[in-house]
Amino acid sequence: MQGTEERLRRRSDAIIGRELTRLAGRARTLGPRDLAVVEEALNDLVEHLVLARLRAVPHRAAEVERLFDDGLGARPPS
């Protein structure tokens, strides 16, 4: 389960990073402090909506991970 949690955390960090870059380009009046506030809020959402729930059902970790699979990782043989 720890591996799944770490992979989901890395995936969410990558998504948040891309979105912050996009947001900074579209809303040029947002400074580094503003973006840091947005990033913290998004990280809190990931923690509460995904990772905390994953910890509550560790026996379902593989299913949760599949929900966030982008097709780039190694897949077990069928």
Side-chain angles (χ1 to χ4, degrees), residues 1 5 50-61 64:
M1 209 275 304
E5 183 177 340
V50 179
L51 299 176
R53 292 177 183 192
L54 173 64
R55 285 185 216 103
V57 289
H59 59 285
R60 310 283 302 265
V64 172

Side-chain angles (χ1 to χ4, degrees), residues 21 58 62 68:
T21 299
F68 295 91

Side-chain angles (χ1 to χ4, degrees), residues 61-75:
E63 293 171 47
V64 172
E65 188 168 7
R66 280 194 298 273
L67 290 173
F68 295 91
D69 183 19
D70 59 5
L72 299 177
R75 292 181 184 217

Side-chain angles (χ1 to χ4, degrees), residues 5-70:
E5 183 177 340
E6 185 56 35
R7 281 190 293 277
L8 290 177
R9 187 180 308 279
R10 283 194 313 264
R11 176 123 169 82
S12 69
D13 286 346
I15 292 167
I16 289 170
R18 284 192 305 269
E19 288 304 308
L20 287 173
T21 299
R22 191 174 67 83
L23 180 60
R26 293 181 71 187
R28 297 195 190 284
T29 59
L30 293 177
R33 283 183 155 165
D34 301 314
L35 293 172
V37 169
V38 172
E39 181 177 18
E40 185 176 343
L42 292 173
N43 283 327
D44 285 347
L45 281 172
V46 168
E47 178 62 36
H48 292 12
L49 294 176
V50 179
L51 299 176
R53 292 177 183 192
L54 173 64
R55 285 185 216 103
V57 289
H59 59 285
R60 310 283 302 265
E63 293 171 47
V64 172
E65 188 168 7
R66 280 194 298 273
L67 290 173
F68 295 91
D69 183 19
D70 59 5

